[in-house]
Every structure is written in C-alpha cells, then in structure tokens.
Amino acid sequence: MINLIEKAKNHKQRVAIKSNDQSYTYDSLLKSSRKIANQLLRGRADLDEERIAFLVAPSYDYVRLQWGIWRAGGIAVPLCTKHPLPSIQYVLDDTQAETVIYSEEYESLLSPLFDNTKHQFLRLKAFTDQSGILPDVDLSRRAMILYTSGTTGNPKGVVSTHQNIECQITSLTSSWEWEQNDHILNVLPMHHVHGIVNVTLCALWSGACCEFLSKFDSQAVFNVFTKGDVNLFMAVPTIYFKLIAHWNDLPQEEQIAVSEALKHFRLMVSGSAALPVSVLETWRSISGQTLLERYGMTEMGMAISNSYRGTRNSGFIGLPLANVTIRLANENDVIVDEGISGEIQVKGPNIFKEYWQKPEATKNTFTGDGWFKTGDIAVFENGNYRILGRNSVDIIKSGGYKISALEIEEVLRKHPKVKECGVVGIPDDEWGEIIGASLILEDGNSIDLDKLKDWLKERLPLYQLPRKYIYQDDLPRNVMGKVTKNDLKKFF
Ligand code: MCA
Ligand code: AMP
C-alpha cells in the first residue's frame, strides 16, 4: 500500500492528528488501524479489494478507518456526511459495499438500510481488539473510490490505486516543501481529493500534524489560527470569501490578533474552483499571504500549480507539477498554439485507473493515445496556464463542489407538478456559482415553493439545492424550451 505505514514508524511519538480536543500520535494511529484491519479481515488473509464504505465525520476516527481498510487490502469508500439517504444508498449499491462502518451520530440516518442484507453495517464503537497477520498490499491495487458528477448518467466512482495516490502526495509534498514541523488545519469534507490527499495525506506522509474541525466555521477557524500552532491552510475560494466577511465583522483588536497570527503562516493554498482576483487581494491585505492557486480534479489529484518560491500570478493556475504532462487540445484532440484556448489534457502516474465498473465511460474520457480529457478549457499565455471555464454548461461549481445540472433536473422532473425544467449555474461572488432552476409546471398547476424546497431537501444535499427559481410565466412568451442554457442563465 501507499508507503504511509513505514514512514509513520519513523516518528511514532509525534502528534499525527488533533481532533475533538484530543491529540493522537502516529503510534496510536498505527496500532488502532492494525486492529481495525484485523477486525475487517475476520480471519481472512486479504480483503482482496472488497469495498468498505464509511460514514464518519472528519477526525482521527476517519483516518484510522482509512488506514485500517488499506492495511486489510480493501478499497476505501468514504461517504459524504451531508448526503441524504438516497445519495448514500446509491454509492453503497454502486460499489456493492461489503461493509458499512458508521459513527453513532449517523445511526438514525442509516437505520432504514439495516435490514438490507447486501451490506454488513458496523458501528465504529463496536470494534474490538483483534490481532493477526496483515496482507502485503501491492501499490498497483485499487485503494479508493470517490464519486464525481459528470454530463452522462449518474455519478461515477473514480477508482485510484495506491500508486496513483502516492504520486499525488509526493508531487505536492516536494513542490510545496512539506516537512514534519508543519501543522495544518483541515476544514474540508473528507469525500474529496482536496481534503483527503492535499491536506490529510500530505501531512501524514510528512510526519506533520493534521488538526480537524468537524465542520467549517469561520470563528472556530480564527480561534485555532490565533493559538499559533497552525502554519498551513488549504481551502476553496468560498471559504476564503467567508473568512474575509467574518474578519470584517470582528472588533478591531480581534482583527489585529487574527492578522498577526496569519502573518506567520508558511503557506496558504486555494483551489477546487477559480479564485477571484478580488478575494486573493483582500486576503493578502488581511493576512500578508499571497494565496497559492493550483488546479486539480478527482480523477488525477493536482496537475498544475503556481510556484511555492517564485511569483504567484493572480488569475493563473501556474505550471504542471512534477511528473505531470499537460497539453491543450482542440475538439479533434489536436494540440493548439500558444495563446489559443483548448481542453486541458493530462498524462502521468497520478491519473486514475478507471470509473468503477464503467469501462465505456473510462474509455471515452481518454484520447486514443492515452491523454485524460479533463473537460476544462484553458489558455497558455505569459508563461502560465489560465482557466477559462468548462466545455459543458451542465457542470456547475458551487462552494468548490462539482455539481451536474442534469442530475438535479432528473430529480426535479420526478416532482408530480413539474412538467419540464432546466438547471443552470449562475455566477455568484461567494459561491462561485449558485444553482438556478427554471420550471414549466404541469398544465393548470401552481406550486408552493417552500413545499418544493422541502421535497428537494429529502432528495439532494444542501449544496445541490437550487437557490433561484423562474417559471415559464415569468419569461418572455414561449421562450422556455427554445433557448440554450447559456441564454437561460441571463433570465435569472
Ligand atoms: C450551502 N449553502 C449554500 C450552498 N451550500 N448556498 C448556496 N450555494 C451553496 N453551494 C447554504 C445552506 O443552505 C445554508 O443556508 C448555509 O449555506 C450553510 O450551509 P452549510 O452546509 O452549513 O454550509 P457550510 O458548511 O458553510 O459550507 C460551505 C463550505 C462547503 C464550507 C464552503 O461548501 C465546503 O466544504 N466546500 C468544499 C467542497 C470541497 O472540498 N470541494 C473539493 C472538491 P441557511 O443558513 O440559509 O440554511 S474538488 C476536488 O477535490 C478537486 C480534486 C480539487 O481541485 O480540489
Ligand atoms: P472535482 O471533479 O470535484 O474534483 O472538481 C474538479 C474541477 O474543479 C476541475 O475539473 C475544474 O473545473 C475545477 N477546478 C479545480 N481547481 C480549479 C482552479 N484553480 N480554477 C478553476 N477551476 C478549478
């Protein structure tokens, strides 16, 4: 498996994780993950890539489970703690998870599934001490499945091998000069690469400390920063936007204390969505830190980054990371000239293995000669890459989450009063984009918007809910159904 275990043995007494006001050493992580691995094996020699799903808040528990699954030869499937039951059930069915491990706080959410004999449900606290020999897990084996939305069908499971993840870790730890005295605060969800690889695994690979907040909260973040231990932070632009707004509301002496603490940071990174230049500049005036913007994707980890030591160019994502090869290509997969926009296509050992049990979708996302097609459009100018947008209007980025307009439309169409709909992303300073839904109702119907919102909340996570609605009657006559989605955006 990823060389985390051997590395952890070199600094057993150092603090690996802080969560829920407790500190955990690398030694306790090693011992606890070994016990979990043995319990999952239940006498078997190897889990042989059985999928083990887990629903646990970002914490020490999350990490010891992840390591335990890997040490037993399983594939880790982290579940989103904000998802309603149908979205969780989809992942469990799609991965055919053998076991689902959950912490107490999610028991009532999951309980309707307990009769389902396809999966074994295990409460984390019910784990007991077990010992035994652990398998030797080759780097080429599958390690993790993360779900991502696209423009075709349901969310797809992105399968990364141990080797893929190790490459994603090492290109970042070397480029951003991670070291064992680093201490990072993690406020990100732990079912995406940003929180899992860039923050948690890079820290643990380096012998550093990863401190978790179970949920993002601006004041809680500032409370940790002003203690003075943390020297690294990574987040999506929406989080920096929220921190700026909160800082502006603080009394002056607290503003000074936060700004003073921030001046001592070694590195602050932004990614997962375009960083507005205004956010970069305002954050610099508050913190003295120039955010390092980088670009990545679930299927490949990080691919392009601004420089750690050199100039960071606002509005640009920088240059390819070590071992990653980039080209910009037109719709015929032919390389475009400098200054001309094209799709970012990527090759390297960081690129995922496959979409889980979707060979056709996997094949379609690579060119004939093996380049991974990201769907992101960029241009190379002034010696750097700059992102221009996506090649599909149906992919929305909100709060750093990638959201498929088509999936939301599919849910909306199931509502008995909705005849047709169109979902688009609307530019928004705080969220990057917010979701807008246009509705055509069944003939003669009207709809109670509050009831529709409640109905949607049972079926979609908060971050996928439409925030603005328009109806056919509000639009110029006969416009709906006849305009492109790009035109539709203008009506919100
Ligand atoms: C929540 N709210 C929203 C949205 N989400 N409103 C508009 N648009 C949204 N997207 C509203 C809720 O309805 C609620 O409203 C209020 O905000 C608080 O909701 P809550 O869920 O508590 O929000 P939060 O915890 O403050 O979340 C904001 C967040 C979160 C922390 C920015 O979105 C987040 O963690 N984003 C990071 C996602 C991420 O890690 N992406 C990486 C994937 P009310 O108060 O009225 O009820 S990309 C990736 O991994 C690649 C590889 C990469 O490049 O990094
Ligand atoms: P996900 O599929 O959830 O991993 O999201 C990956 C997508 O996030 C990429 O394909 C980009 O569209 C977007 N993204 C990541 N980093 C950046 C960035 N720095 N600027 C603009 N878009 C980004």
Side-chain angles (χ1 to χ4, degrees):
M1 69 169 269
I2 306 167
N3 192 19
L4 283 164
I5 302 298
E6 290 310 311
K7 284 181 133 310
K9 287 179 186 163
N10 295 330
H11 26 251
K12 284 187 177 171
Q13 298 320 316
R14 295 183 62 82
V15 173
I17 287 167
K18 283 191 170 190
S19 72
N20 306 320
D21 293 324
Q22 295 216 44
S23 297
Y24 302 89
T25 61
Y26 279 89
D27 194 38
S28 57
L29 191 51
L30 285 168
K31 286 184 176 137
S32 184
S33 57
R34 168 174 271 279
K35 282 181 200 161
I36 289 171
N38 278 308
Q39 170 122 12
L40 289 171
L41 285 165
R42 296 193 306 273
R44 291 172 285 184
D46 191 323
L47 283 183
D48 286 322
E49 301 189 357
E50 286 289 354
R51 276 72 58 212
I52 311 294
F54 54 111
L55 187 57
V56 176
S59 61
Y60 173 65
D61 282 343
Y62 177 105
V63 181
R64 65 195 183 108
L65 270 173
Q66 182 195 55
W67 285 29
I69 295 164
W70 285 344
R71 296 182 83 177
I75 302 180
V77 184
L79 299 168
C80 173
T81 55
K82 287 185 176 173
H83 274 178
L85 197 57
S87 316
I88 288 178
Q89 198 166 0
Y90 172 78
V91 173
L92 299 183
D93 287 344
D94 195 59
T95 55
Q96 303 132 290
E98 174 205 82
T99 303
V100 186
I101 305 163
Y102 60 91
S103 53
E104 215 172 344
E105 68 224 84
Y106 303 109
E107 180 153 317
S108 63
L109 172 72
L110 291 177
S111 59
L113 304 180
F114 287 171
D115 290 338
N116 181 330
T117 49
K118 286 185 281 184
H119 324 286
Q120 175 190 219
F121 286 85
L122 278 182
R123 203 162 130 186
L124 184 59
K125 284 275 176 307
F127 271 58
T128 53
D129 271 13
Q130 304 250 347
S131 57
I133 296 167
L134 298 181
D136 199 4
V137 179
D138 193 82
L139 270 177
S140 63
R141 281 173 50 173
R142 294 171 181 82
M144 184 162 72
I145 304 182
L146 302 179
Y147 275 77
T148 193
S149 291
T151 49
T152 48
N154 290 320
K156 297 188 284 288
V158 175
V159 180
S160 302
T161 62
H162 290 271
Q163 177 94 66
N164 295 147
I165 299 172
E166 187 161 307
C167 290
Q168 294 171 11
I169 296 171
T170 52
S171 75
L172 292 187
T173 48
S174 61
S175 299
W176 297 347
E177 303 187 17
W178 274 88
E179 49 148 306
Q180 65 173 20
N181 290 323
D182 283 329
H183 185 143
I184 193 161
L185 178 66
N186 190 350
V187 297
L188 293 169
M190 286 291 282
H191 64 293
H192 280 304
V193 163
H194 199 164
I196 301 170
V197 177
N198 298 24
V199 180
T200 310
L201 294 179
C202 282
L204 299 175
W205 178 270
S206 310
C209 174
C210 180
E211 178 162 352
F212 286 99
L213 281 185
S214 61
K215 182 186 178 328
F216 170 72
D217 172 79
S218 296
Q219 186 55 47
V221 168
F222 286 161
N223 290 346
V224 176
F225 284 175
T226 48
K227 277 196 222 152
D229 299 332
V230 171
N231 69 338
L232 272 159
F233 189 64
M234 300 184 191
V236 299
T238 302
I239 288 184
Y240 288 107
F241 185 99
K242 284 173 178 288
L243 291 176
I244 290 169
H246 190 68
W247 187 91
N248 283 332
D249 286 345
L250 291 176
Q252 200 183 11
E253 66 275 20
E254 287 181 41
Q255 286 183 337
I256 292 168
V258 170
S259 295
E260 187 51 35
L262 286 167
K263 292 206 169 70
H264 301 289
F265 274 53
R266 179 173 80 72
L267 175 66
M268 301 194 107
V269 178
S270 172
S272 305
L275 174 67
V277 173
S278 60
V279 173
L280 178 137
E281 285 172 354
T282 312
W283 188 252
R284 185 160 48 202
S285 69
I286 289 175
S287 66
Q289 301 284 337
T290 302
L291 293 173
L292 183 156
E293 183 169 10
R294 70 4 171 229
Y295 158 83
M297 200 170 172
T298 306
E299 286 88 335
M300 62 187 186
M302 299 306 107
I304 303 178
S305 169
N306 269 284
S307 149
Y308 175 61
R309 291 201 174 263
T311 312
R312 295 175 194 168
N313 296 297
S314 53
F316 287 80
I317 50 172
L319 291 169
L321 285 158
N323 299 321
V324 180
T325 314
I326 299 287
R327 71 176 196 182
L328 298 184
N330 66 18
E331 41 308 334
N332 300 318
D333 296 327
V334 174
I335 299 181
V336 298
D337 289 335
E338 190 169 332
I340 307 288
S341 64
E343 182 189 39
I344 303 178
Q345 300 189 344
V346 189
K347 264 190 189 177
N350 54 314
I351 304 285
F352 76 126
K353 182 180 175 70
E354 63 195 355
Y355 292 116
W356 177 248
Q357 296 188 334
K358 290 191 169 50
E360 203 51 34
T362 307
K363 190 167 156 248
N364 293 340
T365 202
F366 288 91
T367 64
D369 51 354
W371 291 86
F372 170 61
K373 292 157 69 76
T374 62
D376 289 307
I377 307 297
V379 63
F380 187 77
E381 54 189 23
N382 305 325
N384 274 282
Y385 287 94
R386 185 162 66 87
I387 297 253
L388 301 173
R390 298 276 316 175
N391 64 4
S392 167
V393 70
D394 286 320
I395 294 294
I396 301 169
K397 263 276 168 171
S398 188
Y401 285 110
K402 187 185 198 181
I403 296 162
S404 159
L406 306 181
E407 280 169 32
I408 299 171
E409 288 167 9
E410 205 171 302
V411 173
L412 272 170
R413 276 193 210 101
K414 292 197 177 109
H415 192 280
K417 289 190 173 174
V418 175
K419 185 169 168 188
E420 201 31 270
C421 62
V423 166
V424 291
I426 312 164
D428 183 81
D429 287 346
E430 180 171 9
W431 298 98
E433 289 181 297
I434 53 168
I435 300 167
S438 60
L439 304 177
I440 299 178
L441 302 180
E442 290 291 351
D443 292 344
N445 265 319
S446 62
I447 202 160
D448 178 332
L449 207 50
D450 287 334
K451 283 196 182 145
L452 175 68
K453 287 178 183 171
D454 288 343
W455 185 88
L456 284 172
K457 267 187 199 160
E458 286 168 22
R459 292 159 177 83
L460 292 169
L462 269 185
Y463 62 85
Q464 287 184 13
L465 293 177
R467 305 285 156 174
K468 286 194 177 171
Y469 291 86
I470 51 174
Y471 304 97
Q472 186 175 31
D473 291 349
D474 299 335
L475 293 176
R477 227 176 132 67
N478 291 332
V479 151
M480 205 110 107
K482 294 190 176 158
V483 292
T484 65
K485 283 204 174 178
N486 279 324
D487 291 332
L488 187 59
K489 282 171 171 237
K490 298 179 199 137
F491 292 110
F492 281 91

